[in-house]
Amino acid sequence: MKKQFIVIFMLLSVTLSACSYINEKNVDSNVDESHVLESVEVSSVHEEDSAPIESQRSASVDEASETNKETSAEIQAIGGSDYTFLRKYIDEVYNIHLASLVVGKEARDEWVNNVFLKKSAEEQEAIPPIYQIIVDLEISKEDLIQKNNEKGGIYLSAETIDALYQEDIEEVKKALMSPLALYHEGEIYTFEELSRKTRMAVDIPTETLDEYFDFIEAVCEQNNLSKYMQESIDNARKVNGLE
């Protein structure tokens, strides 16, 4: 486990530039960041014939994949988003627009309104939204790849598409999880979750939690976020009886 944290940290150190968490946002000129923070959508902001559909705590499903393409398809940047420590998965799998291009607006809206939004917040967040629509509407890997290629590959990386079509759902979750989340015995935990739940509530060994919080602290130090995050990290340790 500790080796895994070290490897991820090394990747993050190479990929991430110094930025702040909330007060000093480093906004990509190609993305309307305020829209990302304030909206909870399941349609692309570029789709002129479709109004955004909002869902309580379902992650933003917007242009985030274009930002990922510029940084990394696997490592999400720290800063510039209030979702940094909230999301279980990498940003691009919260965007269902590519899937909607395959099935069409009518089928997409039907699924959103009568399937996705009928689920609880926990169910919406448990599995990547694009995986949910792929399974429910039986979107083939070939069709998804074709449509992605038609759009210049801006929505999903080849690695992400491969991960979405693995047979074992646990392998899908592990392959697509945020590098800032913790995977333990089939469950993915975000820092935000672990900062408000006790060790007994999540049933994670003390050593594992201690290593995870060390990892988050190191990432924050590397990216000049300590002044924003240190208090939260310290409180998370206290909540879990690590201090």
Side-chain angles (χ1 to χ4, degrees):
M1 180 66 70
K2 192 165 188 176
K3 182 181 294 184
Q4 180 185 9
F5 288 149
I6 294 173
V7 171
I8 295 174
F9 174 64
M10 291 175 65
L11 288 172
L12 284 165
S13 297
V14 173
T15 307
L16 304 177
S17 59
C19 53
S20 63
Y21 174 49
I22 296 176
N23 297 323
E24 299 175 14
K25 298 184 183 300
N26 193 5
V27 180
D28 190 314
S29 60
N30 294 321
V31 179
D32 182 357
E33 189 67 19
S34 62
H35 187 76
V36 174
L37 300 183
E38 298 171 2
S39 300
V40 187
E41 303 175 353
V42 283
S43 59
S44 170
V45 294
H46 285 312
E47 188 172 12
E48 297 178 356
D49 64 342
S50 175
I53 303 172
E54 298 195 355
S55 163
Q56 181 183 25
R57 294 206 65 189
S58 64
S60 170
V61 203
D62 43 50
E63 295 176 313
S65 58
E66 293 189 46
T67 304
N68 279 0
K69 185 172 181 288
E70 295 178 2
T71 54
S72 167
E74 298 179 57
I75 305 298
Q76 64 186 36
I78 286 193
S81 171
D82 286 339
Y83 293 121
T84 300
F85 295 98
L86 297 176
R87 285 183 164 176
K88 295 178 182 289
Y89 302 98
I90 57 175
D91 284 347
E92 61 183 321
V93 297
Y94 289 98
N95 189 333
I96 69 165
H97 184 57
L98 181 61
S100 75
L101 292 177
V102 176
V103 300
K105 176 181 179 295
E106 184 176 350
R108 186 273 318 277
D109 288 351
E110 175 73 16
W111 178 81
V112 167
N113 291 317
N114 298 314
V115 179
F116 187 74
L117 296 184
K118 299 294 184 181
K119 298 180 180 181
S120 67
E122 291 75 16
E123 290 173 323
Q124 289 176 8
E125 297 174 1
I127 308 294
I130 193 167
Y131 179 85
Q132 296 181 49
I133 191 173
I134 284 173
V135 172
D136 291 345
L137 299 187
E138 300 181 347
I139 299 173
S140 71
K141 183 177 182 179
E142 292 72 22
D143 287 345
L144 197 71
I145 291 175
Q146 180 181 346
K147 190 62 66 174
N148 193 48
N149 289 341
E150 289 176 5
K151 299 301 179 179
I154 65 171
Y155 288 102
L156 297 174
S157 68
E159 294 79 10
T160 296
I161 292 176
D162 286 341
L164 286 167
Y165 285 89
Q166 294 187 86
E167 294 183 4
D168 187 342
I169 184 59
E170 291 307 317
E171 293 304 315
V172 172
K173 291 165 62 176
K174 286 190 285 187
L176 299 176
M177 67 177 282
S178 164
L180 298 176
L182 172 66
Y183 183 91
H184 179 72
E185 295 186 351
E187 296 293 332
I188 295 176
Y189 301 93
T190 66
F191 172 77
E192 189 273 338
E193 285 180 299
L194 295 176
S195 67
R196 56 183 170 80
K197 292 184 177 181
T198 67
R199 185 171 69 255
M200 294 297 293
V202 296
D203 195 26
I204 299 176
T206 301
E207 181 180 359
T208 300
L209 279 174
D210 200 27
E211 290 176 354
Y212 174 70
F213 291 135
D214 283 346
F215 163 70
I216 293 297
E217 188 168 13
V219 170
C220 290
E221 289 177 357
Q222 180 70 23
N223 292 276
N224 298 325
L225 299 178
S226 295
K227 59 182 177 180
Y228 304 108
M229 292 296 300
Q230 192 60 55
E231 183 176 354
S232 294
I233 295 171
D234 292 342
N235 286 338
R237 291 183 185 277
K238 291 179 181 178
V239 166
N240 287 277
L242 301 178
E243 287 190 352

